[in-house]
Amino acid sequence: MRSMAPFVLVVAMLAAGMLLVDAYPSGPPLSACSNMRPTGHGTSTLTGTTPFSITANTTFYNPGENIEVTISGAQFIGFFVQARQRDAGSDMNAAVGTITPGNTNIGKTLDCSGGTKNAWSHKTNAPKTSESAIWTAPSDDHGTIAFRATIVQGPSSDRYWTDVYSANLPFGAPASPTSSGGGTTTDNGNGSNAVSGSSVLLVLSSCVLAAIGLQLYFGL
Ligand SMILES: *[C@@H]1O[C@H](CO)[C@@H](O)[C@H](O)[C@H]1NC(C)=O
Ligand SMILES: *[C@@H]1O[C@H](CO)[C@@H](O)[C@H](O)[C@H]1NC(C)=O
C-alpha cells in the first residue's frame, strides 16, 4: 500500500498540471487585469530575450487618436494587452484608452479597472503569428503611455512572457525639426526672393546712374 503513495502523488500532480495548462484558452479572467500575470498558467515566466515585440504605428498620441497596435515576432497562442501610464507618480496599473480588436474571431476586449474595453486578449488559443488592434487614446492628457503585453508562446500555456512593453508614446506632437531649425530654412527660402529683389534694385539704380551720367554728358 505504501509503495503506491508516490505513484498517486504523481498522478495527482499531472492531473493538476493538465488543468493548469488549459486554464484560460478563451482569454484571461478579470482578476488578471492589474498585474497581467496569467495565474492559471503555472508560476514560471520565460526569461531572456523575448522573440516578441509590441509596436504602435506612431511615436506619440493625441486626444482621441486611433493608433494601430501589433504583436508580432514568433508564433503564440495567447496574449493580454493594455495601454499603461509610464510617468513616475502616475497610476501605472490602470488601463487607459479603449481597444478595438482587428480580428474579432481571434481577439476580444475586457473591461478592466472599472473602465470599458480597455484591455485586449485572445479568445481562442489557436496559434497565431501577428495580431493587431486599434487603440483609441483617451480624450485627455495621460502623460507618456506604453503598451504592455503578456504573451503565451506555447505550445503549452505555461510558456509565457510578461512585461513586454512597446516604446513609450508621449502625449502630443513632439517639436518638429523644421520648426526648431526652421528660421534658417525659411530665411533661405525667402532669401532668394530678397536677392532677386536687390537685383531689381541694382538694375534700377544702375539705370538711374546711367541716366544721370547721360544727362551730365549731353548736358555739358
Ligand atoms: C495608424 O493606424 C490607424 C488605424 O489604421 C490610422 O487611423 C492612423 O492614421 C495611423 N497613424 C499613422 C500615424 O499612420
Ligand atoms: C516666405 O515667402 C513665402 C512666399 O512668398 C511666404 O508665403 C512666406 O510667408 C514667407 N515666409 C516668411 C517667414 O516670410
Side-chain angles (χ1 to χ4, degrees):
M1 287 297 248
R2 237 188 233 168
S3 60
M4 288 291 282
F7 174 74
V8 169
L9 187 65
V10 166
V11 168
M13 282 169 72
L14 281 178
M18 283 167 71
L19 282 177
L20 288 178
V21 162
D22 249 353
Y24 300 113
S26 59
L30 287 176
S31 59
C33 274
S34 178
N35 67 9
M36 298 184 74
R37 293 290 186 273
T39 48
H41 288 216
T43 51
S44 66
T45 301
L46 292 170
T47 53
T49 307
T50 171
F52 299 104
S53 61
I54 177 158
T55 54
N57 70 341
T58 181
T59 53
F60 57 88
Y61 72 98
N62 282 308
E65 186 177 357
N66 286 334
I67 291 174
E68 190 174 46
V69 191
T70 303
I71 307 168
S72 60
Q75 195 172 76
F76 54 104
I77 60 172
F79 59 91
F80 191 29
V81 172
Q82 294 172 15
R84 291 287 184 93
Q85 298 175 130
R86 299 294 285 155
D87 289 329
S90 66
D91 181 357
M92 297 192 199
N93 286 326
V96 299
T98 56
I99 305 187
T100 308
N103 184 338
T104 50
N105 292 323
I106 290 171
K108 65 176 187 180
T109 57
L110 285 84
D111 299 341
C112 280
S113 41
T116 43
K117 301 187 191 320
N118 52 9
W120 171 44
S121 82
H122 65 282
K123 68 186 230 189
T124 152
N125 61 0
K128 34 214 157 258
T129 51
S130 175
E131 277 305 312
S132 294
I134 303 297
W135 178 73
T136 303
S139 55
D140 51 343
D141 184 354
H142 281 252
T144 295
I145 65 104
F147 297 101
R148 176 178 166 180
T150 298
I151 301 167
V152 185
Q153 184 166 3
S156 65
S157 67
D158 60 349
R159 298 190 70 248
Y160 60 87
W161 302 85
T162 60
D163 305 287
V164 182
Y165 281 94
S166 72
N168 281 343
L169 276 75
F171 177 81
S176 76
T178 44
S179 58
S180 56
T184 319
T185 311
T186 317
D187 284 352
N188 285 349
N190 288 1
S192 49
N193 290 342
V195 166
S196 44
S198 5
S199 310
V200 170
L201 267 183
L202 200 67
V203 169
L204 278 178
S205 33
S206 306
C207 288
V208 170
L209 281 178
I212 292 170
L214 284 173
Q215 206 173 27
L216 286 174
Y217 178 80
F218 288 109
L220 276 178

